[in-house]
Amino acid sequence: MSDHGALNLRWAWALVDTLAGAGVRHAVLSPGSRSTPLTLACLRHPDITTHVRVDERGAAFFALGLARAGGAPAMVVATSGTAVANWLPAVVEADLDRVPLILLSADRPPELIGCGANQAIDQVKLFGDRVRQQQGLPLPTAEPAVVAALRTAAARAVAACRWPLAGPVHLNQPLREPLVPADPAHALPPPRPAPRAPRPMTTLPAAETAALAAELSGRPGLIVAGRGPFPDAFPAAITRLARQLGCPILADPLSGLRYGAHDREPVLARYDAFLRRAAFTTAFRPAWVLRCGDPPVSKALAGYLEGLEQAEQWLVADHGRWPDPQHRATALLRADPAWLADALAAATPNSAPAEWLAGFKAEEARALDLAAERAPAEARLLESLLGALPDDAALFVGNSLPIRDLDTFSGTGARRLRFHANRGASGIDGNLSTALGLAAADRTRPATALVGDLTCYHDLNALHGAAALGLRLLVVNNGGGAIFRQLPQAGLPEFEAAWLTPVELDFRAAATLFGLPHHRVDAGEPAALADILSRPGAALVELVVDGTAGHAARQDYLTAVASG
């Protein structure tokens, strides 16, 4: 009598082994019965590090964090039914922010679909056009030609999630019972190499590069570096080009340019404040803008770019999308941004007049001085946090106010700090799970997360296992959705109940529930935060901030910068 459980496991092994051979190193597993062969293959593969997360929504965001950390695709595995549907928020984020994920779902066999069988839904095409590729795999078989086709499908999936547009790929695997081999220790073959498809470097023709260099030469211009990821060579390459052109770089905090050992002389970080000053933006209008990466966080910068109707604006994007919400692009340059910066510098374009860069740097210095006098308490806490992070540390920043405060108040520095955020869809969901994935990707360096109280509440169950991963979680407790204080909704009589929505969560009790040390730091005690962060190990640090006072101070600072 044949052992169908063993057949399932050998098939799952061929699939997982090929994914591993093509570069997948992490698998995030959620418990379930139908996915047993896939789970066993991951657990028993020597080249796969496994992570078990009970909640499928959190598991997918955890895999997102793993993939963000190293750029290599991570795999998430779940059983059939609504378990797979819980991946959708993370799939949306991975799609929009081009994060490579392998979504490996188990499914009921064909005879149980569409007939009222329990836990059976149509999982094929479940994620629509959010995935780069979706494939319903055949039922397991020992037929050599079909197994060979399975291995090819797995290798293609890894290639598709990396290039030409990185993102998630969905493989749906139907499985018949029995799901467990008769011999629980069923022997599996050794790992074998898999076909690889290295990501190519995209370049421009020499004539087009020379023409662009001529357009930039000697004219006042601006480099805008938005959200990455960028190649490792990008910071040094783009700052060399800016030096040569005599132009500033307005660097988003997620660009990787604000902190590091590269030349930061042309890098500006306080433009979100000084671009609100009409006298400056009227007088300083570039002839050209070279835009690298995705749209920046700053609304002030977005408004400035939109108002440059006469400037030529070149987008540099080697992934195929068109990141231009202002609709001001002159051309889309499909080229590796580090390669293009080096190629333009090699053409030796002339520098803009010295007063061009000097004007921007004077505004940067003025914004810095005013921040020292008027910045809100959150800015002082942020300064203490950044000062306490070691070289090459990872900081995950939640959406709403934390990412905006990082944008406005982070400044620059010589240590390499790696900032991460879920800005593809900018959702509140899954932020803690993503931060934990970052922490799990490299246990040799501490990972830190800075999020708001609502963001923490939204993903609270992710804290299961946070202590073992050493995550330092900083929660800004400012009484709910403080970001809405900046919007017209704040004037409505229903504002607190429907928008601010304070949850009044006892963070000490939450920390105790998940075995985390709890610390409470008041807004006026930034030195206390630095002291806590100097200690090793995981912790939940509650940063208590008066939301109303913080909003008033933030507006006072921005008004002072804008008033001139």
Side-chain angles (χ1 to χ4, degrees):
M1 184 175 180
S2 64
D3 185 350
H4 191 79
L7 173 65
N8 282 334
L9 180 56
R10 287 194 299 271
W11 176 270
W13 175 266
L15 174 57
V16 169
D17 181 50
T18 307
L19 294 172
V24 176
R25 289 292 172 266
H26 292 273
V28 186
L29 315 172
S30 297
S33 176
R34 188 64 53 169
S35 54
T36 295
L38 304 173
T39 295
L40 278 177
C42 291
L43 289 169
R44 295 181 180 182
H45 199 286
D47 297 329
I48 295 287
T49 300
T50 56
H51 314 264
V52 177
R53 308 295 294 179
V54 173
D55 170 28
E56 285 86 2
R57 185 185 74 165
F61 277 107
F62 191 96
L64 186 84
L66 288 165
R68 279 198 189 285
M75 172 172 34
V76 59
V77 178
T79 192
S80 61
T82 59
V84 185
N86 274 282
W87 288 344
L88 180 59
V91 172
V92 170
E93 176 64 26
D95 167 33
L96 294 178
D97 222 13
R98 306 185 308 281
V99 180
L101 288 182
I102 300 292
L103 313 168
L104 183 53
S105 58
D107 201 356
R108 296 306 208 235
E111 64 269 19
L112 295 182
I113 302 298
C115 61
N118 185 46
Q119 204 174 330
I121 67 173
D122 185 358
Q123 296 176 188
V124 178
K125 299 185 179 180
L126 182 63
F127 302 111
D129 59 3
R130 296 298 182 189
V131 292
R132 305 295 174 264
Q133 175 184 309
Q134 49 199 345
Q135 183 168 356
L137 298 175
L139 286 163
T141 176
E143 177 63 37
V146 183
V147 174
L150 173 71
R151 286 188 172 272
T152 298
R156 285 176 49 223
V158 176
C161 79
R162 283 175 159 163
W163 188 86
L165 179 65
V169 167
H170 182 204
L171 299 176
N172 190 63
Q173 178 61 67
L175 294 161
R176 286 194 179 110
E177 295 178 343
L179 302 166
V180 178
D183 177 6
H186 181 78
L188 293 166
R192 54 182 275 189
R196 288 179 175 267
R199 188 181 188 277
M201 176 182 287
T202 49
T203 62
L204 296 178
E208 190 168 342
T209 306
L212 178 59
E215 293 280 356
L216 308 182
S217 182
R219 305 165 70 203
L222 192 61
I223 295 175
V224 175
R227 182 173 79 251
F230 293 110
D232 291 341
F234 178 70
I238 200 69
T239 50
R240 277 195 303 268
L241 176 63
R243 279 276 202 176
Q244 190 161 346
L245 293 169
C247 74
I249 301 175
L250 306 188
D252 186 86
L254 303 178
S255 67
L257 295 183
R258 292 192 181 184
Y259 281 79
H262 55 277
D263 177 18
R264 297 182 314 284
E265 181 64 24
V267 175
L268 305 185
R270 300 185 183 273
Y271 52 84
D272 182 66
F274 70 70
L275 287 179
R276 300 168 190 260
R277 192 161 83 88
F280 175 78
T281 56
T282 300
F284 283 77
R285 303 182 72 78
W288 57 263
V289 181
L290 188 67
R291 294 165 51 187
C292 304
D294 289 319
V297 170
S298 170
K299 279 192 174 182
L301 176 53
Y304 179 60
L305 294 173
E306 188 172 0
L308 299 176
E309 297 181 5
Q310 304 304 315
E312 297 167 290
Q313 297 195 34
W314 290 282
L315 305 181
V316 183
D318 62 348
H319 50 69
R321 282 183 172 160
W322 193 288
D324 182 32
Q326 292 80 37
H327 308 293
R328 289 285 182 262
T330 301
L332 176 63
L333 308 177
R334 301 197 189 282
D336 178 279
W339 173 89
L340 182 61
D342 281 338
L344 291 172
T348 62
N350 296 323
S351 176
E355 58 269 20
W356 172 252
L357 177 58
F360 278 87
K361 292 183 73 67
E363 289 296 310
E364 178 92 347
R366 179 173 170 274
L368 173 60
D369 290 342
L370 285 170
E373 301 171 8
R374 299 171 179 262
E378 292 95 325
R380 294 190 293 274
L381 290 169
L382 179 64
E383 181 182 7
S384 181
L385 163 61
L386 296 179
L389 294 176
D391 189 58
D392 212 25
L395 174 64
F396 181 88
V397 184
N399 289 312
S400 299
L401 277 185
I403 187 64
R404 287 168 174 81
D405 282 342
L406 182 73
D407 184 32
T408 305
F409 299 112
S410 79
T412 62
R415 283 165 299 128
R416 185 188 180 219
L417 301 181
R418 296 171 291 124
F419 297 135
H420 300 273
N422 285 348
R423 294 298 293 176
S426 299
I428 196 173
D429 44 355
N431 280 219
L432 301 193
S433 295
T434 306
L436 286 166
L438 288 166
D442 187 351
R443 302 292 302 279
T444 66
R445 292 177 291 205
T448 305
L450 175 67
V451 303
D453 49 357
L454 290 185
T455 297
C456 181
Y457 172 78
H458 203 280
D459 199 22
L460 193 64
N461 65 350
L463 292 181
H464 181 261
L469 292 174
L471 178 71
R472 288 100 60 87
L473 174 61
L474 281 59
V475 181
V476 181
N477 187 358
N478 54 12
I483 185 65
F484 294 116
R485 295 182 190 275
Q486 301 182 11
L487 301 177
Q489 290 89 330
L492 296 172
E494 302 89 349
F495 172 67
E496 182 171 338
W499 282 271
L500 189 63
T501 58
V503 293
E504 299 179 355
L505 186 68
D506 184 341
F507 286 100
R508 180 182 295 278
T512 301
L513 176 65
F514 293 106
L516 288 167
H518 173 270
H519 305 277
R520 180 184 171 100
V521 176
D522 288 331
E525 303 174 345
L529 175 59
D531 177 63
I532 292 168
L533 293 176
S534 68
R535 307 170 198 169
L540 191 160
V541 184
E542 183 181 357
L543 306 176
V544 182
V545 175
D546 183 327
T548 302
H551 173 69
R554 189 177 288 101
Q555 296 306 114
D556 178 61
Y557 164 68
L558 294 174
T559 300
V561 176
S563 67

